[in-house]
Amino acid sequence: MANLTFRTDEETKQKLTDLATALDRSQGWVINAALEAYLEHQRWIGDAIQAAYDGVEAGTANLIPHDDVK
């Protein structure tokens, strides 16, 4: 497993400590779980955006007129 170092403010560090204690897990475990969830969410967003672009390029997108969106 690789090591990673980062800086955070004291409030965030305390929240991490509190959560790790409440879950009876290490801070590293909590950070890994949070990072995995964040990265998966970002990948999902990227895939959804790409699918929308692909739909526009293929002419199959269900576009909503600007005035309707307003």
Side-chain angles (χ1 to χ4, degrees):
M1 185 165 291
N3 288 321
L4 180 66
T5 302
F6 68 98
R7 295 184 183 274
T8 191
D9 58 77
E10 286 298 323
E11 182 179 349
T12 301
K13 184 175 186 276
Q14 187 60 54
K15 289 176 183 178
L16 172 62
T17 299
D18 294 346
L19 181 58
T21 300
L23 296 174
D24 195 26
R25 298 286 189 160
S26 69
Q27 290 180 350
W29 186 93
V30 174
I31 291 169
N32 272 316
L35 186 55
E36 288 280 336
Y38 175 80
L39 293 173
E40 177 60 25
H41 182 70
Q42 291 302 309
R43 186 202 56 77
W44 178 85
I45 289 171
D47 289 350
I49 290 169
Q50 187 60 55
Y53 283 141
D54 292 346
V56 169
E57 288 181 358
T60 59
N62 183 17
L63 301 177
I64 301 170
H66 179 73
D67 288 339
D68 291 353
V69 173
K70 289 191 332 187

